[in-house]
Amino acid sequence: METGTVHASRGTRGGAMGLMLKGLQAEVITIGVTLGTVADGQWVMSGDSAWQRETRVRVRSALMQLGVPACELGVIVSVDPVITKSSTSLDLAVAVAFLAALGKIPEDTIARTAFFGELSLGGDIRMIRGVAPAIRQAASLGVKTVVVPQANEHEAAFAARDTSVEVRTARSLAELVQAFNGLAELQAPSESNISPERFGIAPVDMSDVRGQGVARRALEIAAAGGHNLALIGPPGSGKTMLARRLTTIMPPMTTQESVAVTELFSVTGMLRPEHGSVHERPFRAPHHTVSPTGLVGGGDPVRPGELSLGHHGVLFLDEALEFKRSAIECIRGPIADGQVTICRSSGRTKFPAETTIVAASSLCACGFYGSSKPCTCKEERRQMYQIRLMGLDVARLDIWAPVHDAQSNTSEPPESSALVRSRVVAARNRQLSRYECREASTAVNAKLTPHDLERVAQMDNGARMVLDQGVDHFGIDTNGRRTVLRVARTIADLAGTDVIEAQHVDEALRFSKSVFGAGECRKAA
Ligand SMILES: [Zn+2]
């Protein structure tokens, strides 16, 4: 572009459309730029003051790189609707509106085009958070074309797959000016540029786990029925190793699930330029010192927390008793609802949070009670610890499984994740078909209502007898009984039978909290 003086006639106007995100929700923001009606060098802007300050610096500097003497002009920037939060995603729209006011971008070429990108001081368009949800919602907001940073092209390619909106990528403001003057063309993100995010985690597999028959079985049942799980054992016994592998035996993510998880990672800024989408179930393991905000989400701008980053995956709470009371209280409701709602004066933001909880703990404060190493806890303290453990109420934990530190003595190679997953998928398909036939209100056993249980958890006589005896013997209450039935339903689904049999109930009982507590906590007493 030619440099030199700009003759902005009084009141010259330009407009451009930008997109802004609130949580996962995209909104169209119309930017208007009027030149020459205020004193030279003055920028009058509406909207959040931090946003004004930061945007002015970046947009002015980027425009100067194009030879536009942006600092010398008197400028009014209008923002509709008025924004109350800072957002870097509007940089591009402000700069384009400015260039339109100067006549450097013909305004008719950018009709129904929304710009979503942050500018560097040098005029480059920088990678930005939230491209995936912005693209997905653009069409429903009346947008025909969205221009996003070239650095986000993998993500853009994934997000653009099932939408009618046209997506274009750009590297710099200069490239935009050329393109909208017909001198170049902006690239569309290509399908071949969909590269799944792996988060640098080496692939893990159930075949890495030797022994641990009971815990392995517990994971399989949890994956098959969508049950939350407690893994109890001494330090170093492999609780984390097991929990991490739960995602590898859960059913593969559907496209819809992939889109949802990708969007959450996108707005959190966790997608890297070389990867634009998530296709593996997330595994999140926040440290017990995490703040309530870190767990449920929040901040300014509002971002999802660990609970939502574990959406469709696993949230692993290691040393579950060490988490702050306030943090546990914050997540209990959202876990039950499968959704987080963050309330602010500026409105509510919702994030999905359907995650499988794996809580892990040892049986005492020193950690070694019930293991091959001696426990150094005083009897009284240990009892207190175990009372707290049994009272752990972060979520309904349907399955309680011991993890032992003893070495495996079998020489048989352990099963692979793929093999276990095939059984899990078969069991899930049985649940899905009951849901589709309207026998149950949910496709996941863990969510079966009492009414559902009456319909789909039919037991034979032997099963009923085992359940009644167990309930009696261990003093299991009505809710506990329902939990046992849900787990028994899943075990029967893994076995491929419609009617729940005695062995299914027996196994479900052994994994119940009451039976676990009675067996493990008093074992060495
Ligand atoms: Zn101890």
Side-chain angles (χ1 to χ4, degrees):
M1 184 193 293
E2 83 278 14
T3 56
T5 50
V6 174
H7 303 285
S9 55
R10 230 176 146 67
T12 313
R13 273 191 53 87
M17 209 172 8
L19 286 173
M20 186 176 164
L21 283 176
K22 263 187 201 159
L24 289 169
Q25 222 54 49
E27 191 181 0
V28 166
I29 307 284
T30 305
I31 306 286
V33 165
T34 308
L35 300 178
T37 55
V38 291
D40 283 355
Q42 201 183 350
W43 278 51
V44 178
M45 296 175 77
S46 56
D48 177 78
S49 59
W51 176 76
Q52 291 184 24
R53 234 179 5 253
E54 293 157 14
T55 305
R56 187 159 49 214
V57 170
R58 285 191 301 268
V59 172
R60 269 181 174 177
S61 172
L63 288 166
M64 301 281 275
Q65 300 300 316
L66 289 181
V68 175
C71 289
E72 295 161 25
L73 297 167
V75 181
I76 296 176
V77 181
S78 66
V79 182
D80 180 35
V82 168
I83 58 167
T84 53
K85 290 277 166 236
S86 189
S87 172
T88 58
S89 71
L90 294 175
D91 283 7
L92 211 48
V94 174
V96 169
F98 198 109
L99 291 163
L102 285 174
K104 299 217 175 265
I105 287 182
E107 217 170 323
D108 57 332
T109 63
I110 54 168
R112 295 187 64 200
T113 298
F115 296 88
F116 188 79
E118 178 183 334
L119 284 169
S120 76
L121 297 175
D124 292 328
I125 301 172
R126 299 171 58 179
M127 188 174 177
I128 195 168
R129 300 170 184 211
V131 163
I135 289 176
R136 186 177 56 83
Q137 293 164 61
S140 65
L141 295 170
V143 172
K144 190 168 153 274
T145 308
V146 189
V147 178
V148 300
Q150 215 271 332
N152 287 96
E153 73 161 332
H154 293 274
E155 181 184 348
F158 177 69
R161 285 203 304 192
D162 298 311
T163 162
S164 58
V165 77
E166 219 177 283
V167 180
R168 293 287 179 267
T169 64
R171 282 188 177 79
S172 66
L173 202 50
E175 194 184 338
L176 275 190
V177 174
Q178 293 229 312
F180 287 105
N181 282 290
L183 301 171
E185 233 173 278
L186 296 179
Q187 296 287 309
S190 101
E191 279 271 348
S192 65
N193 281 340
I194 297 176
S195 165
E197 185 66 78
R198 300 201 68 100
F199 302 109
I201 299 168
V204 295
D205 197 277
M206 285 300 282
S207 59
D208 310 331
V209 181
R210 300 219 149 246
Q212 302 288 13
V214 177
R216 287 180 69 107
R217 175 69 176 161
L219 286 190
E220 181 169 341
I221 299 167
H227 302 283
N228 295 327
L229 165 81
L231 292 175
I232 312 296
S237 56
K239 300 187 292 285
T240 306
M241 188 188 191
L242 283 158
R244 170 148 271 162
R245 282 154 183 78
L246 178 56
T247 56
T248 67
I249 61 170
M250 290 162 80
M253 275 211 284
T254 63
T255 306
Q256 213 179 358
E257 288 173 336
S258 233
V259 168
V261 175
T262 298
E263 292 191 358
L264 286 158
F265 278 71
S266 169
V267 296
T268 319
M270 288 170 69
L271 297 175
R272 289 168 298 164
E274 62 272 31
H275 304 284
S277 54
V278 184
H279 298 272
E280 283 170 22
R281 294 192 182 273
F283 174 81
R284 305 297 301 174
H287 190 257
H288 60 73
T289 54
V290 69
S291 67
T293 301
L295 265 185
V296 293
D300 183 15
V302 181
R303 303 246 193 263
E306 291 293 340
L307 187 55
S308 293
L309 292 173
H311 185 50
H312 292 315
V314 170
L315 181 69
F316 179 53
L317 304 174
D318 197 10
E319 300 185 63
L321 290 182
E322 304 301 318
F323 280 77
K324 289 187 206 90
R325 189 75 234 152
S326 56
I328 294 292
E329 269 160 17
C330 277
I331 59 174
R332 201 188 303 131
I335 289 170
D337 300 344
Q339 177 170 271
V340 177
T341 305
I342 297 162
C343 297
R344 286 291 161 78
S345 54
S346 55
R348 284 157 185 255
T349 308
K350 286 179 196 270
F351 293 113
E354 281 178 29
T355 175
T356 297
I357 304 292
V358 180
S361 178
S362 51
L363 279 168
C364 67
C366 84
F368 294 107
Y369 183 74
S371 79
S372 54
K373 289 189 189 140
C375 165
T376 56
C377 303
K378 288 213 171 78
E379 172 69 25
E380 200 176 310
R381 197 160 163 236
R382 189 170 66 223
Q383 280 179 7
M384 285 305 296
Y385 193 91
Q386 292 178 353
I387 287 168
R388 279 181 63 216
L389 181 60
M390 288 297 110
L392 183 66
D393 58 353
V394 55
R396 208 188 64 213
L397 300 166
D398 292 355
I399 296 170
W400 287 67
V403 182
H404 298 298
D405 63 344
Q407 290 299 308
S408 139
N409 47 17
T410 66
S411 56
E412 240 176 85
E415 284 186 328
S416 70
S417 289
L419 188 59
V420 182
R421 179 180 259 176
S422 66
R423 293 194 297 262
V424 166
V425 168
R428 284 276 182 126
N429 285 340
R430 295 178 62 85
Q431 297 164 59
L432 185 63
S433 69
R434 284 197 298 267
Y435 171 66
E436 283 170 348
C437 297
R438 300 181 181 208
E439 289 170 29
S441 64
T442 163
V444 188
N445 285 342
K447 293 186 194 158
L448 290 172
T449 64
H451 180 66
D452 288 330
L453 285 172
E454 280 170 28
R455 293 165 56 132
V456 303
Q458 276 134 14
M459 292 177 279
D460 65 14
N461 286 337
R464 198 168 295 115
M465 215 163 75
V466 172
L467 183 60
D468 289 343
Q469 280 172 0
V471 163
D472 228 33
H473 184 79
F474 294 100
I476 297 171
D477 63 10
T478 313
N479 281 333
R481 185 181 189 276
R482 286 184 187 132
T483 300
V484 173
L485 253 184
R486 290 185 188 101
V487 176
R489 176 66 271 168
T490 301
I491 294 168
D493 284 331
L494 280 166
T497 64
D498 287 336
V499 175
I500 298 169
E501 297 165 13
Q503 53 182 330
H504 307 143
V505 173
D506 183 62
E507 190 177 14
L509 271 170
R510 274 186 279 128
F511 281 122
S512 75
K513 178 159 89 174
S514 304
V515 180
F516 176 89
E520 295 293 325
C521 294
R522 288 164 215 163
K523 195 162 56 182

